[in-house]
Coordinates of all heavy atoms in Angstrom, one line a residue:
M1 N 38.6 -14.4 -52.8 CA 37.6 -15.5 -52.7 C 37.8 -16.1 -51.3 O 38.9 -16.6 -51.0 CB 37.8 -16.5 -53.8 CG 36.9 -17.7 -53.7 SD 35.2 -17.3 -54.2 CE 35.3 -17.0 -55.9
M2 N 36.8 -16.1 -50.5 CA 36.8 -16.8 -49.2 C 36.2 -18.2 -49.3 O 35.3 -18.4 -50.1 CB 36.0 -16.0 -48.2 CG 36.6 -14.6 -47.9 SD 38.3 -14.5 -47.4 CE 38.2 -15.4 -45.8
K3 N 36.8 -19.1 -48.5 CA 36.4 -20.5 -48.5 C 36.2 -21.0 -47.1 O 37.1 -20.7 -46.3 CB 37.4 -21.3 -49.3 CG 37.0 -22.8 -49.5 CD 38.1 -23.6 -50.1 CE 38.5 -23.0 -51.5 NZ 39.5 -23.9 -52.2
A4 N 35.2 -21.7 -46.8 CA 35.0 -22.3 -45.5 C 35.1 -23.8 -45.8 O 34.4 -24.4 -46.6 CB 33.6 -22.0 -45.0
S5 N 36.0 -24.5 -45.0 CA 36.1 -25.9 -45.2 C 36.3 -26.6 -43.8 O 36.7 -26.0 -42.8 CB 37.4 -26.2 -46.0 OG 38.5 -25.6 -45.5
W6 N 35.9 -27.9 -43.9 CA 36.0 -28.8 -42.7 C 36.1 -30.2 -43.1 O 35.4 -30.6 -44.0 CB 34.8 -28.6 -41.8 CG 34.9 -29.4 -40.5 CD1 35.6 -29.1 -39.4 CD2 34.1 -30.5 -40.2 NE1 35.4 -30.1 -38.5 CE2 34.5 -31.0 -38.9 CE3 33.2 -31.3 -40.9 CZ2 34.0 -32.1 -38.3 CZ3 32.6 -32.4 -40.3 CH2 33.0 -32.8 -39.1
N7 N 37.0 -31.0 -42.5 CA 37.1 -32.4 -42.7 C 37.3 -32.7 -44.2 O 36.8 -33.6 -44.8 CB 35.9 -33.2 -42.2 CG 36.2 -34.6 -42.0 OD1 37.3 -35.0 -41.7 ND2 35.2 -35.5 -42.2
G8 N 38.1 -31.8 -44.9 CA 38.4 -32.0 -46.3 C 37.4 -31.6 -47.3 O 37.6 -31.7 -48.5
A9 N 36.2 -31.0 -46.8 CA 35.2 -30.6 -47.7 C 35.0 -29.1 -47.8 O 35.2 -28.4 -46.7 CB 33.8 -31.2 -47.3
V10 N 34.7 -28.5 -48.9 CA 34.4 -27.1 -49.0 C 33.0 -26.9 -48.7 O 32.1 -27.4 -49.4 CB 34.7 -26.6 -50.5 CG1 34.3 -25.1 -50.6 CG2 36.2 -26.8 -50.8
L11 N 32.7 -26.2 -47.6 CA 31.3 -26.0 -47.2 C 30.7 -24.8 -47.9 O 29.5 -24.7 -48.1 CB 31.3 -25.7 -45.7 CG 31.9 -26.8 -44.8 CD1 31.9 -26.4 -43.4 CD2 31.2 -28.1 -45.0
A12 N 31.5 -23.7 -48.1 CA 31.0 -22.5 -48.8 C 32.2 -21.8 -49.5 O 33.4 -21.9 -49.0 CB 30.4 -21.6 -47.8
E13 N 31.9 -21.1 -50.5 CA 33.0 -20.4 -51.2 C 32.3 -19.1 -51.9 O 31.3 -19.3 -52.6 CB 33.6 -21.3 -52.3 CG 34.9 -20.7 -52.9 CD 35.6 -21.8 -53.7 OE1 35.0 -22.8 -54.1 OE2 36.8 -21.6 -53.9
S14 N 32.9 -18.0 -51.6 CA 32.3 -16.7 -52.2 C 33.3 -15.6 -52.1 O 34.1 -15.5 -51.2 CB 31.1 -16.4 -51.4 OG 30.5 -15.2 -51.9
D15 N 33.1 -14.7 -53.1 CA 33.9 -13.4 -53.0 C 33.0 -12.3 -52.5 O 33.4 -11.1 -52.6 CB 34.5 -13.1 -54.4 CG 33.5 -12.9 -55.4 OD1 32.2 -13.0 -55.2 OD2 33.8 -12.6 -56.6
D16 N 31.9 -12.7 -51.9 CA 30.9 -11.7 -51.4 C 30.6 -12.1 -49.9 O 29.5 -12.5 -49.6 CB 29.7 -11.7 -52.2 CG 28.6 -10.8 -51.7 OD1 28.9 -9.8 -51.0 OD2 27.4 -11.0 -51.9
T17 N 31.5 -11.9 -49.0 CA 31.2 -12.2 -47.6 C 31.1 -10.8 -46.9 O 31.7 -9.8 -47.3 CB 32.3 -13.0 -46.9 OG1 33.6 -12.4 -46.9 CG2 32.5 -14.4 -47.6
V18 N 30.4 -10.9 -45.8 CA 30.2 -9.7 -44.9 C 30.9 -10.1 -43.6 O 30.6 -11.1 -43.0 CB 28.8 -9.3 -44.7 CG1 28.6 -8.3 -43.6 CG2 28.1 -8.9 -46.0
V19 N 31.8 -9.2 -43.1 CA 32.5 -9.5 -41.9 C 31.9 -8.8 -40.7 O 31.8 -7.5 -40.8 CB 34.0 -9.1 -42.0 CG1 34.8 -9.4 -40.7 CG2 34.7 -9.9 -43.1
V20 N 31.5 -9.5 -39.7 CA 30.9 -8.9 -38.5 C 31.5 -9.7 -37.3 O 31.5 -10.9 -37.3 CB 29.3 -9.1 -38.4 CG1 28.8 -8.7 -37.1 CG2 28.7 -8.4 -39.6
E21 N 32.1 -8.9 -36.4 CA 32.8 -9.4 -35.2 C 33.8 -10.5 -35.6 O 33.8 -11.6 -35.0 CB 31.8 -10.0 -34.2 CG 30.9 -8.9 -33.7 CD 29.8 -9.4 -32.7 OE1 29.3 -10.5 -32.8 OE2 29.4 -8.6 -31.8
N22 N 34.6 -10.2 -36.6 CA 35.6 -11.1 -37.1 C 35.1 -12.5 -37.7 O 35.9 -13.4 -37.9 CB 36.7 -11.4 -36.0 CG 37.4 -10.2 -35.6 OD1 37.8 -9.4 -36.5 ND2 37.6 -10.0 -34.3
N23 N 33.8 -12.5 -38.0 CA 33.3 -13.7 -38.7 C 32.8 -13.4 -40.1 O 32.2 -12.3 -40.3 CB 32.1 -14.2 -37.9 CG 32.4 -14.8 -36.6 OD1 33.2 -15.7 -36.4 ND2 31.9 -14.2 -35.5
H24 N 33.2 -14.2 -41.1 CA 32.8 -14.0 -42.4 C 31.4 -14.7 -42.6 O 31.3 -15.9 -42.4 CB 33.8 -14.7 -43.4 CG 35.0 -13.9 -43.6 ND1 35.1 -12.9 -44.6 CD2 36.2 -13.8 -42.9 CE1 36.3 -12.4 -44.5 NE2 37.0 -12.9 -43.5
Y25 N 30.4 -13.9 -43.0 CA 29.1 -14.4 -43.3 C 29.0 -14.6 -44.8 O 29.1 -13.7 -45.6 CB 28.0 -13.4 -42.8 CG 27.8 -13.4 -41.3 CD1 28.7 -12.8 -40.5 CD2 26.7 -14.1 -40.8 CE1 28.5 -12.8 -39.1 CE2 26.5 -14.2 -39.4 CZ 27.4 -13.5 -38.6 OH 27.2 -13.5 -37.2
F26 N 28.8 -15.9 -45.2 CA 28.7 -16.2 -46.6 C 27.3 -16.2 -47.1 O 26.3 -16.5 -46.3 CB 29.2 -17.7 -46.8 CG 30.7 -17.9 -46.6 CD1 31.3 -17.9 -45.4 CD2 31.5 -18.1 -47.7 CE1 32.6 -18.1 -45.2 CE2 32.8 -18.3 -47.6 CZ 33.4 -18.3 -46.3
P27 N 27.0 -15.8 -48.3 CA 25.7 -15.8 -48.9 C 25.1 -17.3 -48.8 O 25.9 -18.2 -49.1 CB 25.8 -15.4 -50.3 CG 27.1 -14.7 -50.4 CD 28.0 -15.3 -49.4
I28 N 23.9 -17.4 -48.4 CA 23.3 -18.7 -48.3 C 23.4 -19.5 -49.6 O 23.5 -20.7 -49.6 CB 21.8 -18.6 -47.8 CG1 21.3 -20.0 -47.4 CG2 20.9 -18.0 -48.9 CD1 21.8 -20.5 -46.1
E29 N 23.4 -18.8 -50.7 CA 23.4 -19.5 -52.0 C 24.8 -20.1 -52.3 O 25.0 -21.0 -53.1 CB 23.2 -18.5 -53.2 CG 21.9 -17.8 -53.1 CD 21.9 -16.6 -52.2 OE1 23.0 -15.9 -52.0 OE2 20.8 -16.2 -51.6
S30 N 25.8 -19.7 -51.5 CA 27.2 -20.2 -51.7 C 27.5 -21.5 -50.9 O 28.6 -22.0 -51.1 CB 28.2 -19.1 -51.3 OG 28.3 -18.9 -49.9
I31 N 26.6 -21.9 -50.0 CA 26.9 -23.1 -49.2 C 26.6 -24.4 -50.0 O 25.7 -24.4 -50.9 CB 26.2 -23.1 -47.9 CG1 24.7 -23.3 -48.0 CG2 26.5 -21.8 -47.1 CD1 23.9 -23.5 -46.7
N32 N 27.3 -25.4 -49.7 CA 27.1 -26.7 -50.3 C 26.2 -27.5 -49.4 O 26.6 -28.1 -48.4 CB 28.4 -27.5 -50.5 CG 29.3 -26.8 -51.6 OD1 28.8 -26.4 -52.6 ND2 30.6 -26.7 -51.3
R33 N 24.9 -27.4 -49.7 CA 23.8 -27.9 -48.8 C 23.9 -29.3 -48.5 O 23.4 -29.8 -47.4 CB 22.4 -27.5 -49.4 CG 22.2 -26.0 -49.4 CD 20.7 -25.8 -49.7 NE 20.4 -24.3 -49.7 CZ 20.0 -23.7 -48.6 NH1 19.8 -24.3 -47.5 NH2 19.8 -22.4 -48.7
E34 N 24.6 -30.1 -49.3 CA 24.7 -31.6 -49.0 C 25.4 -31.8 -47.6 O 25.2 -32.9 -47.1 CB 25.5 -32.3 -50.1 CG 26.9 -31.8 -50.2 CD 27.7 -32.4 -51.3 OE1 28.0 -33.6 -51.3 OE2 27.9 -31.6 -52.3
F35 N 26.1 -30.9 -47.1 CA 26.8 -31.0 -45.9 C 26.1 -30.5 -44.6 O 26.6 -30.6 -43.5 CB 28.2 -30.4 -45.9 CG 29.1 -30.9 -47.1 CD1 29.6 -30.1 -48.0 CD2 29.4 -32.3 -47.1 CE1 30.3 -30.6 -49.1 CE2 30.2 -32.8 -48.2 CZ 30.7 -31.9 -49.2
F36 N 25.0 -29.8 -44.8 CA 24.3 -29.1 -43.8 C 23.0 -29.8 -43.3 O 22.2 -30.3 -44.1 CB 23.9 -27.7 -44.3 CG 25.1 -26.8 -44.5 CD1 25.9 -27.0 -45.6 CD2 25.4 -25.8 -43.6 CE1 27.0 -26.2 -45.8 CE2 26.5 -25.0 -43.8 CZ 27.3 -25.2 -44.9
A37 N 22.8 -29.9 -42.0 CA 21.6 -30.5 -41.4 C 21.1 -29.5 -40.4 O 21.9 -28.9 -39.6 CB 21.9 -31.8 -40.7
A38 N 19.8 -29.2 -40.4 CA 19.2 -28.2 -39.5 C 19.4 -28.7 -38.1 O 19.3 -29.9 -37.8 CB 17.7 -28.1 -39.8
S39 N 19.6 -27.8 -37.2 CA 19.7 -28.0 -35.8 C 18.6 -27.3 -35.0 O 18.2 -26.2 -35.4 CB 21.1 -27.5 -35.3 OG 21.1 -27.5 -33.9
P40 N 18.1 -27.9 -33.9 CA 17.1 -27.2 -33.1 C 17.6 -26.1 -32.3 O 16.9 -25.3 -31.7 CB 16.5 -28.3 -32.2 CG 17.6 -29.3 -32.1 CD 18.4 -29.2 -33.4
L41 N 19.0 -25.9 -32.2 CA 19.6 -24.9 -31.3 C 19.3 -23.5 -31.8 O 19.4 -23.3 -33.0 CB 21.1 -25.2 -31.2 CG 21.9 -24.2 -30.3 CD1 21.6 -24.5 -28.9 CD2 23.4 -24.3 -30.6
T42 N 19.1 -22.6 -30.9 CA 19.0 -21.2 -31.2 C 19.8 -20.5 -30.1 O 20.0 -21.0 -29.0 CB 17.6 -20.6 -31.2 OG1 16.9 -20.8 -30.0 CG2 16.7 -21.3 -32.3
S43 N 20.2 -19.3 -30.3 CA 20.8 -18.4 -29.3 C 20.4 -17.0 -29.6 O 19.9 -16.7 -30.7 CB 22.3 -18.6 -29.3 OG 22.9 -18.1 -30.6
R44 N 20.6 -16.1 -28.7 CA 20.1 -14.7 -28.8 C 21.3 -13.8 -28.7 O 22.1 -13.9 -27.7 CB 19.1 -14.5 -27.7 CG 18.6 -13.1 -27.7 CD 17.3 -12.9 -28.5 NE 16.8 -11.5 -28.4 CZ 16.5 -10.8 -29.4 NH1 16.5 -11.3 -30.6 NH2 16.0 -9.6 -29.3
C45 N 21.4 -12.8 -29.6 CA 22.4 -11.7 -29.5 C 21.6 -10.4 -29.3 O 20.6 -10.2 -30.0 CB 23.2 -11.7 -30.8 SG 24.3 -10.2 -30.9
A46 N 22.0 -9.6 -28.4 CA 21.2 -8.4 -28.1 C 21.1 -7.4 -29.3 O 20.1 -6.8 -29.5 CB 21.9 -7.6 -27.0
W47 N 22.1 -7.4 -30.2 CA 21.9 -6.5 -31.4 C 21.7 -7.2 -32.7 O 21.3 -6.5 -33.7 CB 23.1 -5.5 -31.4 CG 24.4 -6.1 -31.9 CD1 25.4 -6.8 -31.1 CD2 25.0 -6.2 -33.2 NE1 26.4 -7.2 -31.8 CE2 26.2 -6.8 -33.1 CE3 24.5 -5.7 -34.4 CZ2 27.0 -7.0 -34.3 CZ3 25.3 -5.9 -35.5 CH2 26.5 -6.5 -35.5
K48 N 21.9 -8.5 -32.8 CA 21.7 -9.2 -34.1 C 20.4 -9.9 -34.1 O 19.8 -10.1 -35.1 CB 22.9 -10.2 -34.4 CG 24.2 -9.5 -34.7 CD 25.3 -10.4 -35.1 CE 25.7 -11.2 -33.9 NZ 27.0 -11.3 -33.5
G49 N 19.9 -10.4 -32.9 CA 18.7 -11.1 -32.9 C 18.9 -12.6 -32.5 O 19.8 -12.9 -31.9
T50 N 18.0 -13.4 -33.0 CA 18.0 -14.9 -32.7 C 18.7 -15.6 -33.8 O 18.2 -15.6 -34.9 CB 16.6 -15.4 -32.4 OG1 16.0 -14.7 -31.3 CG2 16.6 -16.9 -32.1
A51 N 19.7 -16.4 -33.4 CA 20.5 -17.2 -34.4 C 19.9 -18.6 -34.4 O 19.5 -19.1 -33.4 CB 21.9 -17.2 -34.0
S52 N 19.9 -19.2 -35.6 CA 19.6 -20.6 -35.8 C 20.9 -21.3 -36.3 O 21.8 -20.6 -36.7 CB 18.5 -20.8 -36.9 OG 17.3 -20.2 -36.4
Y53 N 20.9 -22.6 -36.2 CA 22.2 -23.3 -36.4 C 22.0 -24.5 -37.4 O 20.9 -25.0 -37.6 CB 22.8 -23.9 -35.1 CG 23.3 -22.8 -34.2 CD1 22.4 -22.0 -33.4 CD2 24.6 -22.5 -34.1 CE1 22.8 -21.0 -32.6 CE2 25.1 -21.4 -33.3 CZ 24.2 -20.7 -32.6 OH 24.6 -19.7 -31.8
Y54 N 23.1 -24.8 -38.0 CA 23.2 -26.0 -38.8 C 24.4 -26.9 -38.2 O 25.4 -26.3 -37.8 CB 23.7 -25.7 -40.3 CG 22.7 -25.0 -41.1 CD1 22.9 -23.8 -41.6 CD2 21.5 -25.7 -41.5 CE1 22.0 -23.1 -42.4 CE2 20.6 -25.0 -42.4 CZ 20.9 -23.7 -42.8 OH 20.0 -23.1 -43.6
S55 N 24.2 -28.2 -38.3 CA 25.3 -29.1 -38.0 C 25.9 -29.5 -39.3 O 25.2 -29.5 -40.4 CB 24.8 -30.3 -37.2 OG 24.4 -29.9 -35.9
I56 N 27.2 -29.8 -39.3 CA 27.9 -30.1 -40.6 C 28.2 -31.6 -40.6 O 28.6 -32.1 -39.5 CB 29.2 -29.3 -40.7 CG1 29.0 -27.8 -40.5 CG2 30.0 -29.7 -42.0 CD1 28.2 -27.2 -41.5
E57 N 27.9 -32.3 -41.7 CA 28.2 -33.7 -41.8 C 29.0 -33.9 -43.0 O 28.6 -33.6 -44.1 CB 26.9 -34.5 -41.9 CG 26.0 -34.4 -40.7 CD 24.7 -35.2 -40.8 OE1 24.6 -36.0 -41.7 OE2 23.8 -34.9 -40.0
V58 N 30.3 -34.5 -42.8 CA 31.2 -34.8 -43.9 C 31.8 -36.2 -43.7 O 32.4 -36.4 -42.6 CB 32.3 -33.7 -44.0 CG1 33.3 -34.1 -45.1 CG2 31.7 -32.3 -44.3
D59 N 31.7 -37.1 -44.7 CA 32.3 -38.4 -44.6 C 32.0 -39.1 -43.3 O 32.9 -39.7 -42.6 CB 33.8 -38.3 -44.8 CG 34.1 -37.9 -46.3 OD1 33.3 -38.2 -47.2 OD2 35.2 -37.3 -46.5
G60 N 30.8 -39.1 -42.8 CA 30.4 -39.8 -41.6 C 30.8 -39.1 -40.3 O 30.5 -39.6 -39.2
K61 N 31.4 -37.9 -40.4 CA 31.7 -37.2 -39.2 C 30.8 -36.0 -39.1 O 30.4 -35.4 -40.1 CB 33.2 -36.7 -39.2 CG 34.2 -37.8 -39.1 CD 35.6 -37.3 -39.0 CE 36.5 -38.5 -39.0 NZ 37.9 -38.0 -39.0
R62 N 30.4 -35.7 -37.8 CA 29.4 -34.6 -37.6 C 30.0 -33.5 -36.7 O 30.7 -33.8 -35.7 CB 28.2 -35.2 -36.9 CG 27.0 -34.2 -36.8 CD 25.8 -35.0 -36.3 NE 24.7 -34.2 -36.0 CZ 23.7 -33.9 -36.9 NH1 23.7 -34.4 -38.1 NH2 22.7 -33.1 -36.6
N63 N 29.8 -32.3 -37.0 CA 30.3 -31.1 -36.3 C 29.0 -30.4 -35.9 O 28.4 -29.6 -36.7 CB 31.2 -30.3 -37.1 CG 31.9 -29.2 -36.3 OD1 31.5 -28.9 -35.2 ND2 33.0 -28.6 -36.9
E64 N 28.6 -30.6 -34.6 CA 27.3 -30.1 -34.2 C 27.3 -28.5 -34.1 O 28.2 -28.0 -33.6 CB 27.0 -30.6 -32.7 CG 26.7 -32.1 -32.7 CD 25.4 -32.5 -33.3 OE1 24.5 -31.6 -33.4 OE2 25.2 -33.7 -33.7
N65 N 26.3 -28.0 -34.7 CA 26.0 -26.5 -34.6 C 27.2 -25.7 -35.0 O 27.5 -24.6 -34.4 CB 25.6 -26.2 -33.1 CG 24.5 -27.0 -32.6 OD1 23.5 -27.2 -33.3 ND2 24.6 -27.6 -31.5
A66 N 27.9 -26.1 -36.1 CA 29.1 -25.4 -36.5 C 28.9 -24.3 -37.4 O 29.8 -23.6 -37.8 CB 30.0 -26.5 -37.2
A67 N 27.6 -24.0 -37.8 CA 27.3 -22.9 -38.7 C 26.0 -22.2 -38.1 O 25.2 -22.9 -37.5 CB 27.0 -23.4 -40.1
W68 N 26.0 -20.9 -38.2 CA 24.8 -20.2 -37.7 C 24.4 -19.1 -38.7 O 25.1 -18.7 -39.5 CB 25.1 -19.6 -36.3 CG 25.9 -18.4 -36.3 CD1 25.5 -17.1 -36.4 CD2 27.4 -18.4 -36.2 NE1 26.6 -16.3 -36.3 CE2 27.8 -17.0 -36.2 CE3 28.4 -19.4 -36.1 CZ2 29.1 -16.6 -36.2 CZ3 29.7 -19.0 -36.1 CH2 30.0 -17.6 -36.1
F69 N 23.1 -18.7 -38.5 CA 22.6 -17.7 -39.4 C 21.4 -17.0 -38.6 O 21.0 -17.5 -37.6 CB 22.1 -18.2 -40.7 CG 20.9 -19.2 -40.6 CD1 19.6 -18.8 -40.8 CD2 21.2 -20.5 -40.2 CE1 18.6 -19.7 -40.7 CE2 20.2 -21.5 -40.1 CZ 18.8 -21.1 -40.3
Y70 N 21.1 -15.8 -39.1 CA 20.0 -15.1 -38.4 C 18.8 -15.0 -39.4 O 18.9 -14.2 -40.4 CB 20.5 -13.7 -38.0 CG 21.5 -13.7 -36.9 CD1 22.8 -13.9 -37.1 CD2 21.0 -13.6 -35.6 CE1 23.7 -14.0 -36.1 CE2 21.9 -13.6 -34.5 CZ 23.2 -13.8 -34.8 OH 24.1 -13.9 -33.7
P71 N 17.8 -15.8 -39.3 CA 16.7 -15.8 -40.2 C 16.0 -14.4 -40.3 O 15.5 -14.0 -41.3 CB 15.7 -16.9 -39.8 CG 16.4 -17.5 -38.6 CD 17.6 -16.8 -38.3
E72 N 15.9 -13.8 -39.1 CA 15.2 -12.5 -39.0 C 16.1 -11.5 -38.2 O 15.8 -11.2 -37.0 CB 13.8 -12.6 -38.4 CG 12.8 -13.4 -39.2 CD 12.5 -12.8 -40.5 OE1 12.5 -11.5 -40.6 OE2 12.2 -13.5 -41.5
P73 N 17.2 -11.1 -38.8 CA 18.1 -10.2 -38.0 C 17.4 -8.9 -37.6 O 16.6 -8.4 -38.3 CB 19.3 -10.0 -38.9 CG 18.8 -10.2 -40.2 CD 17.7 -11.2 -40.1
L74 N 17.9 -8.4 -36.4 CA 17.4 -7.1 -36.0 C 18.0 -6.0 -37.0 O 18.9 -6.3 -37.8 CB 17.9 -6.8 -34.6 CG 17.3 -7.7 -33.5 CD1 17.9 -7.4 -32.2 CD2 15.8 -7.6 -33.5
Q75 N 17.4 -4.8 -37.0 CA 17.8 -3.8 -38.0 C 19.3 -3.5 -38.0 O 19.8 -3.3 -39.1 CB 17.0 -2.5 -37.7 CG 17.2 -1.4 -38.7 CD 16.3 -0.2 -38.5 OE1 15.5 -0.2 -37.5 NE2 16.4 0.8 -39.3
A76 N 19.9 -3.5 -36.8 CA 21.3 -3.2 -36.8 C 22.2 -4.2 -37.5 O 23.3 -4.0 -37.9 CB 21.8 -3.1 -35.3
A77 N 21.6 -5.4 -37.7 CA 22.4 -6.5 -38.4 C 21.8 -6.9 -39.7 O 22.0 -8.0 -40.2 CB 22.4 -7.7 -37.4
E78 N 21.0 -6.1 -40.3 CA 20.3 -6.4 -41.5 C 21.3 -6.9 -42.6 O 21.0 -7.7 -43.5 CB 19.6 -5.2 -42.0 CG 18.7 -5.5 -43.2 CD 17.6 -6.5 -43.0 OE1 17.0 -6.6 -41.9 OE2 17.3 -7.2 -44.0
Q79 N 22.6 -6.4 -42.6 CA 23.5 -6.8 -43.6 C 23.9 -8.3 -43.6 O 24.5 -8.8 -44.6 CB 24.8 -6.0 -43.5 CG 25.7 -6.3 -42.3 CD 25.4 -5.6 -41.0 OE1 24.3 -5.1 -40.8 NE2 26.4 -5.5 -40.1
I80 N 23.5 -9.0 -42.5 CA 23.8 -10.5 -42.5 C 22.6 -11.3 -42.8 O 22.6 -12.6 -42.7 CB 24.5 -10.9 -41.2 CG1 23.6 -10.6 -40.0 CG2 25.9 -10.3 -41.1 CD1 24.2 -11.1 -38.7
R81 N 21.5 -10.7 -43.2 CA 20.3 -11.5 -43.6 C 20.6 -12.4 -44.8 O 21.3 -11.9 -45.7 CB 19.1 -10.6 -44.0 CG 17.9 -11.3 -44.4 CD 16.7 -10.4 -44.8 NE 16.3 -9.5 -43.7 CZ 15.4 -9.9 -42.8 NH1 14.8 -11.1 -42.9 NH2 15.0 -9.1 -41.9
G82 N 20.2 -13.6 -44.7 CA 20.5 -14.5 -45.9 C 22.0 -15.0 -45.9 O 22.4 -15.4 -47.0
R83 N 22.7 -14.9 -44.8 CA 24.1 -15.3 -44.8 C 24.4 -16.3 -43.6 O 23.7 -16.3 -42.6 CB 25.0 -14.1 -44.6 CG 24.8 -13.2 -45.9 CD 25.6 -11.9 -45.7 NE 25.6 -11.1 -46.9 CZ 26.4 -11.3 -47.9 NH1 27.4 -12.1 -47.9 NH2 26.3 -10.5 -49.0
V84 N 25.4 -17.0 -43.8 CA 25.8 -18.1 -42.9 C 27.3 -17.9 -42.4 O 28.1 -17.6 -43.3 CB 25.7 -19.5 -43.5 CG1 26.1 -20.6 -42.5 CG2 24.2 -19.7 -44.0
A85 N 27.5 -18.1 -41.1 CA 28.9 -18.0 -40.6 C 29.3 -19.3 -39.9 O 28.4 -20.2 -39.7 CB 29.0 -16.8 -39.6
F86 N 30.6 -19.5 -39.6 CA 31.1 -20.8 -39.2 C 32.0 -20.6 -37.9 O 32.6 -19.6 -37.8 CB 31.9 -21.4 -40.3 CG 31.1 -21.7 -41.5 CD1 31.1 -20.8 -42.6 CD2 30.3 -22.9 -41.7 CE1 30.3 -21.0 -43.7 CE2 29.6 -23.1 -42.8 CZ 29.6 -22.2 -43.8
W87 N 32.1 -21.7 -37.2 CA 33.0 -21.8 -36.1 C 33.3 -23.3 -35.8 O 33.0 -24.1 -36.7 CB 32.5 -21.1 -34.9 CG 31.2 -21.6 -34.2 CD1 30.2 -22.2 -34.8 CD2 30.9 -21.6 -32.8 NE1 29.2 -22.6 -33.9 CE2 29.7 -22.2 -32.7 CE3 31.6 -21.0 -31.7 CZ2 29.0 -22.3 -31.4 CZ3 30.9 -21.1 -30.5 CH2 29.7 -21.8 -30.4
K88 N 33.8 -23.6 -34.6 CA 34.0 -25.0 -34.2 C 34.9 -25.8 -35.1 O 34.5 -26.9 -35.6 CB 32.6 -25.7 -33.9 CG 31.8 -25.0 -32.8 CD 30.5 -25.7 -32.6 CE 30.7 -26.8 -31.6 NZ 29.5 -27.5 -31.2
G89 N 36.0 -25.2 -35.5 CA 37.0 -25.9 -36.3 C 36.8 -25.8 -37.8 O 37.7 -26.3 -38.5
V90 N 35.8 -25.1 -38.2 CA 35.6 -24.8 -39.7 C 36.7 -23.7 -40.0 O 36.7 -22.7 -39.4 CB 34.2 -24.3 -40.0 CG1 34.1 -23.9 -41.5 CG2 33.2 -25.4 -39.7
V91 N 37.5 -24.0 -41.0 CA 38.5 -23.1 -41.4 C 38.0 -22.1 -42.5 O 37.4 -22.6 -43.5 CB 39.8 -23.8 -42.0 CG1 40.8 -22.9 -42.5 CG2 40.3 -24.7 -40.9
V92 N 38.1 -20.8 -42.2 CA 37.7 -19.8 -43.2 C 38.9 -19.1 -43.6 O 39.6 -18.5 -42.8 CB 36.6 -18.9 -42.6 CG1 36.3 -17.8 -43.6 CG2 35.4 -19.6 -42.2
A93 N 39.3 -19.2 -44.9 CA 40.5 -18.5 -45.4 C 40.3 -18.0 -46.8 O 39.4 -18.5 -47.5 CB 41.6 -19.5 -45.3

């Protein structure tokens, strides 16, 4: 079972993660949405496509753009459709 946590809160937990480039992508259904706020930030990966971001909010603290996902991944990255990954101090263990 993999768990993503930050600032004492469990952001996501699942035994069904997909690892791409050393990042665990959690099923969107496994995230605790109360901690997530949509971000306007996007970025582009040549083989995965355009990523969108969430900021994380826990107990009045905000971690900007700490989670990302690919709403429409390119064919080479289809396995991460509907999944979310983390960085910026979020612990995945």
